[in-house]
Amino acid sequence: MEEKKSAKLNRRKFLSYSALGLTGLTILPGWVMANGKRIAPSDRVVLGFIGLGRQGISDFNSFTGCPGVQVAACCDVDNLKRIRFKNKVEAWQAGQNIPQRCDMYEFYEDLLERKDIDAVSIASPDHWHALMTIHSCEANKDVYVQKPLAFTIREGLEMVKAVRANNRVLQVGSQQRSSEEFQQAVELVRSGAIGHIESIYVKVGDSPKPLDLPEQPVPSGLNWNLWMGPLNDPAIHYHPDLCPPISINPEKDEQLWGAWRWYRETGNGYTADWGAHMFDIAQAAIGMDGLGPCEFIPKGYNNTEYLTMKYQNGIIMTEQNWRDGGKRGSRGIGFNGTKGWVNVMRGYIESSDPSLLGKKEKEIAEGEYEVSSPHMQNFIDAVRSRKDPIAPVEVGCSTNTLCCLANIATELQRPVKWNPATLSFGDDKEAKAHRLYGYQYRNPYSL
């Protein structure tokens, strides 16, 4: 610890004596052209990136389509991923005719000390989202954080407090909110075009499973202890599927998305990974942003066929295939109303009444949906205007709470009741004690 503190002091001293400093090398003087647009110095947004895996790279690619964005620094627990990201950023900067520099950090706290960084993009594993977001807000940085917002219910609630107490802008990476087909579906439901909504079918996939990967040696260059962070489960050990390796020479990217999301000890399964997208749109359509269901009944309980969520207004939402046909089983949403229905998935929307919008469908290439410049542009616009973006922290919190509650009911194998107004389980002490409501962080971390 003393060694790290000394390094920080030396770095600060160096910057204080540097004629240019970090700002002079990362922010352009005067008016410049960026992506074909003339950008004033006051309108530029300087970003730092935390978490540099496949999702972090995708988010960077999306932000490069936003005029006036600059990248100053990056952070990851894997040295090779830091180098890869730095190379990509500096190649982009060279193409923009701007100074080439992207500083690398192993500890995100060091990145947050940078005064020239306006906002951070966080694409770390979910168990790190809360601490990184809260500390970013306390460092006066705006935040773009990947979905789901948090790993537990309590973390999400604390993130809401941090954003509002520090007057920050936060956008959750639920990019479907910025996608045309989902916006059309939401508008049809909200306008009453298909009548009163009685039920919603949402297909997302399975809840998390116990960690069953064999332990393997930790590769050099990866700080596995730092990857673990606040997680305190002794059953967690390194396996390359949890933190997929890469190489620089020869160049080889990850062969899969981080599998940490599929295991109870490290993630919340498809319930949260895809639920943060699909349940999120369902909530938006029926006006439940910031609220949520009041009862969760797990699949199999008293012969219940599907995971079932009940709202106080009588709407019932189930996790099941949402339409028949060639794409049966595809992740998406079916809204069923008294006057008709609307089905929507990525690249597809259809209604029982073709005159409402007709059938629209297109093929979505693998990874294409992860690059969502409109969603990033919405965040950048919000940073400049100081207004909430399309997926603010309260939205991410309520969707994350829903996903956690669904998993709590599934693991307890019984119904769980929740009061979305008071954010409480009532007298259900077992549910409140569940790790997905909140768990004791590993020392020295604290929430």
Side-chain angles (χ1 to χ4, degrees):
M1 182 62 71
E2 287 301 316
E3 180 181 346
K4 184 169 185 289
K5 184 182 292 185
S6 175
K8 281 188 178 182
L9 290 173
N10 289 338
R11 176 175 166 274
R12 290 197 189 99
K13 188 174 182 180
F14 166 77
L15 292 179
S16 68
Y17 288 130
S18 171
L20 289 176
L22 293 172
T23 301
L25 288 174
T26 55
I27 299 183
L28 301 178
W31 290 81
V32 297
M33 294 297 292
N35 299 330
K37 293 189 176 182
R38 194 166 179 254
I39 304 297
S42 59
D43 285 335
R44 285 183 219 126
V45 177
V46 180
L47 298 177
F49 284 77
I50 304 173
L52 311 176
R54 289 182 69 173
Q55 188 62 60
I57 294 293
S58 293
D59 290 347
F60 163 70
N61 290 336
S62 296
F63 274 114
T64 61
C66 303
V69 165
Q70 179 56 283
V71 179
C74 63
C75 173
D76 198 274
V77 299
D78 187 321
N79 181 53
L80 292 181
K81 291 176 182 176
R82 295 196 294 269
I83 295 172
R84 176 182 64 177
F85 194 87
K86 174 183 174 71
N87 292 340
K88 288 182 179 293
V89 170
E90 293 184 350
W92 168 69
Q93 290 170 334
Q96 294 286 308
N97 260 341
I98 54 181
Q100 299 166 48
R101 180 168 178 175
C102 179
D103 294 322
M104 300 185 296
Y105 299 99
E106 182 178 14
F107 297 92
Y108 73 89
E109 296 93 337
D110 292 337
L111 183 149
L112 294 181
E113 288 184 357
R114 294 277 295 267
K115 301 300 183 184
D116 60 329
I117 292 177
D118 303 306
V120 294
S121 176
I122 299 173
S124 60
D126 299 347
H127 66 271
W128 262 117
H129 285 185
L131 288 180
M132 290 176 174
T133 294
I134 291 170
H135 294 156
S136 296
C137 292
E138 291 172 346
N140 293 319
K141 314 297 183 192
D142 296 319
V143 179
Y144 183 97
V145 59
Q146 267 305 323
K147 58 80 203 167
L149 180 71
F151 185 40
T152 70
I153 293 173
R154 182 174 169 237
E155 286 176 337
L157 297 174
E158 293 300 320
M159 292 164 81
V160 172
K161 293 178 184 177
V163 170
R164 296 310 173 192
N166 292 282
N167 297 314
R168 295 293 94 199
V169 169
L170 183 142
Q171 174 91 300
V172 185
S174 301
Q175 70 267 31
Q176 289 182 174
R177 293 230 170 192
S178 297
S179 182
E180 180 184 1
E181 65 270 26
F182 290 100
Q183 290 180 343
Q184 289 176 327
V186 168
E187 178 57 29
L188 279 179
V189 172
R190 286 181 176 178
S191 67
I194 59 172
H196 173 71
I197 300 301
E198 298 178 321
S199 64
I200 308 173
Y201 300 157
V202 184
K203 183 64 178 176
V204 296
D206 297 332
S207 57
K209 57 185 179 180
L211 182 64
D212 58 2
L213 297 172
E215 184 173 3
Q216 294 193 20
V218 178
S220 61
L222 171 63
N223 189 333
W224 177 248
N225 184 60
L226 191 56
W227 186 96
M228 286 277 294
L231 291 177
N232 66 1
D233 192 327
I236 304 172
H237 49 252
Y238 173 77
H239 186 280
D241 284 5
L242 296 178
C243 187
I246 67 166
S247 64
I248 301 296
N249 189 18
E251 187 175 328
K252 185 178 181 180
D253 291 332
E254 300 92 336
Q255 299 303 295
L256 74 163
W257 294 93
W260 50 264
R261 67 198 69 200
W262 313 134
Y263 299 102
R264 289 180 182 176
E265 295 83 353
T266 55
N268 277 316
Y270 286 98
T271 306
D273 192 59
W274 276 91
H277 287 307
M278 299 304 174
F279 291 137
D280 182 69
I281 294 297
Q283 292 251 114
I286 61 174
M288 286 292 167
D289 279 341
L291 295 170
C294 59
E295 185 175 7
F296 296 76
I297 305 171
K299 178 180 179 180
Y301 177 80
N302 282 352
N303 297 317
T304 301
E305 189 173 3
Y306 306 107
L307 168 66
T308 301
M309 289 155 272
K310 296 182 178 180
Y311 289 88
Q312 290 176 334
N313 61 6
I315 296 176
I316 295 177
M317 182 163 65
T318 49
E319 196 284 314
Q320 66 178 96
N321 290 328
W322 51 281
R323 72 180 181 93
D324 295 323
K327 285 187 169 59
R328 182 173 176 80
S330 296
R331 296 180 184 94
I333 314 166
F335 295 98
N336 306 302
T338 53
K339 297 180 181 178
W341 49 262
V342 171
N343 294 326
V344 62
M345 61 175 283
R346 292 184 175 183
Y348 175 95
I349 184 166
E350 185 178 22
S351 172
S352 55
D353 182 354
S355 68
L356 294 177
L357 81 166
K359 179 179 178 180
K360 295 184 179 181
E361 186 169 6
K362 68 176 182 177
E363 292 297 321
I364 300 295
E366 183 180 0
E368 177 184 344
Y369 223 88
E370 301 308 318
V371 179
S372 179
S373 292
H375 201 58
M376 274 64 175
Q377 185 63 60
N378 177 259
F379 170 65
I380 296 299
D381 291 343
V383 168
R384 290 177 176 137
S385 68
R386 310 312 300 166
K387 295 180 180 179
D388 276 339
I390 197 170
V393 64
E394 289 84 2
V395 163
C397 182
S398 61
T399 302
N400 178 70
T401 297
L402 182 157
C403 296
C404 288
L405 289 168
N407 279 335
I408 290 173
T410 296
E411 290 186 24
L412 295 180
Q413 272 300 289
R414 64 167 175 81
V416 168
K417 293 187 177 181
W418 173 257
N419 187 326
T422 62
L423 303 173
S424 65
F425 291 101
D427 58 0
D428 191 341
K429 295 181 180 179
E430 184 182 29
K432 187 173 183 178
H434 194 280
R435 61 184 175 80
L436 291 182
Y437 178 78
Y439 69 97
Q440 184 65 43
Y441 279 7
R442 184 173 66 128
N443 285 332
Y445 303 98
S446 64
L447 183 63

